[in-house]
Amino acid sequence: MKLCTRTTNTIDADELRTLLIDAANELTGGESRLLEARLPWDGYPILLADAEYHPVLVSFDPINSQAALLNGLRATEQVATALPWLNQVYDALQKQLRPPRLMVVSYDPPPGAEALLAGCPDLKLFGYKIVRIRQEAGLLLEPVVTGRDACSDAAPEPEAPLATRQERPRTGPVALPTLSDEEKNYFRQL
Amino acid sequence: MACQLSPAWQRKAVSPGRMEKIRDRFLSDTPETGADTEACQVIPFLLDNPGLDWVTSNLCEVLTERGHDSTLYPLPDTEEPQAPLTDSLREQAGNAEFCLLPTTSAETVLAHAFDHLVLLVPANLNAVLAAYQRIKLLAEQAHTPEIGIVLVGPRDQHAAWRFFRKLAVGTLRYLDVPLLNLGFLPEQVIPEHAPHDHHRNNFLTRISERLLRSGFYSTLPYGKITQANV
């Protein structure tokens, strides 16, 4: 059975929720913990705790980017109001009362994304695509960046040293290759 | 919107030499001579730990029961093979159709430069990471073998698929190495849980069928091949 991939646009909200929970580390940029898979508010956002014990709200909608954004903003307000209570309930927040960060995931960026990102440092927007491997679905997350960020992203990445692709000498014990941070992060959780 | 894919799914930007490697592999394939009676098919297995040797021994029995006379030849640990592998195999394998070659040493696999390799991977994240590191080591060589995966001890088929997918997407993304899913052995059939589980043979049979159907073995004509072109 060969690994075959194809992209598809069709996904329902629950499947997207599962994939986002799987990709929580990519969303928060580090190790994260799931606090609530389905908050009982509009859009049923996801609540995570990031590596620095910040609460992170993930608001999403498979199609409607405006709904994802508005639901997310509303939930952020509610989380901010309920912060003392949340810190009592969830040990993962370490009672630090940190303000919530908001991640909005939708197929297209919501209107006014550039202005929103420029004015809200705690907001991140992601586009997504679904990749199908046979019957299993995977998620491609595409951060929406401002023009300034895009410029910095466009800087060429330093090339990997050529030595890493060279054949190893056959003498002496062969050490297993080291892993990059990206690889370590990828294999941190299933 | 700048397109920056999630690391989990982003394919490597460039894969220098990939096409050359594929072309070299096909050009160096030995043409079939029809002298099957003097050939032995070898299937190398890289085990995560020595405790998995029951998989290869049971698989050997299953292949034989299914009419493919098979034998087991645990590869001696070596980094520089001193004698041609075929010499040892001729003595060990006799007239066997298949010879299964288990080893726990990645160095031994490197030394023999096999065309095909089956990795036995326990179904846990540490073992998946260890398997990835071994594949990365193999991918750094001039000729990366075709790699098949057998997951050992997942809870069920779904769990097996999730572990395989984690590994396969990782190797494809970071190493540009595709993997072949050869099947799994669920935890309820491993000897620790069930010493005499009769379902074990069913799963092993499926794995053997996939090995045979996909031609996942290398042919060694006795007396003509050395380790350099195994």
Side-chain angles (χ1 to χ4, degrees):
Chain A
M1 183 169 62
K2 291 282 184 186
L3 183 69
C4 306
T5 63
R6 62 187 172 88
T7 56
T8 177
N9 295 335
T10 56
I11 191 166
D12 65 30
D14 283 332
E15 194 175 8
L16 181 55
R17 178 187 308 280
T18 306
L19 293 170
L20 286 171
I21 291 170
D22 283 348
N25 285 0
E26 273 85 44
L27 280 169
T28 60
E31 196 167 355
S32 64
R33 296 179 66 178
L34 177 66
L35 302 184
E36 282 292 335
R38 191 181 167 91
L39 283 170
W41 299 329
D42 288 348
Y44 304 105
I46 302 164
L47 183 61
L48 307 167
D50 68 11
E52 296 170 347
Y53 316 114
H54 279 266
V56 179
L57 267 169
V58 182
S59 177
F60 61 94
D61 191 291
I63 300 162
N64 190 339
S65 58
Q66 288 189 56
L69 177 63
L70 291 175
N71 291 337
L73 290 172
R74 202 173 296 135
T76 306
E77 209 169 65
Q78 287 171 286
V79 166
T81 307
L83 212 49
W85 177 80
L86 285 171
N87 278 265
Q88 289 286 332
V89 173
Y90 300 111
D91 291 338
L93 297 177
Q94 302 276 311
K95 296 188 170 54
Q96 297 199 31
L97 297 177
R98 304 263 180 112
R101 292 197 288 144
L102 175 61
M103 312 277 168
V104 176
V105 182
S106 56
Y107 192 78
D108 297 310
E114 184 98 3
L116 272 169
L117 288 170
C120 305
D122 282 337
L123 171 67
K124 281 191 178 174
L125 306 179
F126 291 89
Y128 76 86
K129 284 187 173 55
I130 298 301
V131 176
R132 297 268 177 203
I133 302 179
R134 292 190 177 269
Q135 275 72 47
E136 295 284 328
L139 194 63
L140 286 164
L141 289 170
E142 302 169 345
V144 180
V145 295
T146 61
R148 192 178 53 187
D149 290 341
C151 289
S152 61
D153 283 352
E157 289 181 14
E159 286 200 11
L162 288 174
T164 58
R165 297 296 298 181
Q166 287 175 353
E167 193 155 352
R168 288 163 185 270
R170 284 287 172 83
T171 55
V174 181
L176 287 175
T178 55
L179 300 180
S180 66
D181 290 342
E182 197 179 346
E183 289 169 306
K184 285 179 191 166
N185 193 40
Y186 172 75
F187 283 103
R188 194 164 288 156
Q189 70 177 34
L190 197 58
Chain B
M1 181 170 69
C3 180
Q4 184 185 339
L5 304 181
S6 160
W9 291 97
Q10 194 174 20
R11 238 195 124 136
K12 223 164 51 164
V14 289
S15 50
R18 177 73 176 159
M19 290 310 296
E20 285 78 2
K21 279 199 273 183
I22 294 169
R23 189 193 59 207
D24 290 348
R25 175 171 298 170
F26 280 94
L27 289 178
S28 65
D29 278 351
T30 309
E32 290 184 18
T33 59
D36 286 347
T37 52
E38 294 189 358
C40 180
Q41 326 278 8
V42 297
I43 311 176
F45 287 80
L46 182 54
L47 282 56
D48 177 84
N49 61 72
L52 295 178
D53 59 352
W54 63 271
V55 177
T56 45
S57 57
N58 287 17
L59 195 57
C60 191
E61 289 168 14
V62 166
L63 281 165
T64 302
E65 283 170 13
R66 293 172 57 78
H68 301 282
D69 190 18
S70 302
T71 186
L72 206 59
Y73 178 69
L75 285 171
D77 286 356
T78 178
E79 287 160 18
E80 287 290 345
Q82 298 301 314
L85 182 60
T86 45
D87 290 353
S88 317
L89 285 180
R90 190 186 297 114
E91 297 169 11
Q92 179 73 22
N95 293 323
E97 185 183 351
F98 288 100
C99 188
L100 277 56
L101 311 174
T103 178
T104 54
S105 162
E107 288 86 349
T108 303
V109 171
L110 287 179
H112 290 296
F114 292 114
D115 270 350
H116 296 83
L117 180 66
V118 180
L119 260 70
L120 300 185
V121 184
N124 64 68
L125 209 49
N126 287 341
V128 168
L129 181 58
Y132 175 81
Q133 282 185 291
R134 288 172 152 198
I135 294 168
K136 187 171 184 179
L137 179 64
L138 294 167
E140 289 174 356
Q141 309 307 308
H143 295 281
T144 309
E146 298 287 333
I147 297 172
I149 302 294
V150 173
L151 277 156
V152 184
R155 196 174 57 251
D156 52 26
Q157 186 178 11
H158 185 67
W161 173 250
R162 282 171 69 90
F163 281 111
F164 174 76
R165 185 179 63 171
K166 189 75 189 176
L167 184 57
V169 171
T171 58
L172 199 60
R173 155 71 185 92
Y174 299 114
L175 310 176
D176 208 16
V177 174
L179 302 180
L180 186 69
N181 187 357
L182 291 170
F184 70 103
L185 294 158
E187 65 178 351
Q188 62 265 31
V189 306
I190 65 177
E192 294 163 26
H193 285 75
H196 305 293
D197 192 292
H198 63 279
H199 291 302
R200 188 184 306 148
N201 273 17
N202 297 342
F203 287 94
L204 287 163
T205 301
R206 280 185 217 167
I207 293 167
S208 68
E209 279 174 359
R210 286 183 187 175
L211 282 168
L212 299 178
R213 202 169 50 227
S214 57
F216 205 83
Y217 43 75
S218 304
T219 303
L220 293 187
Y222 288 145
K224 294 180 184 172
I225 299 284
T226 61
Q227 276 125 341
N229 53 4
V230 169

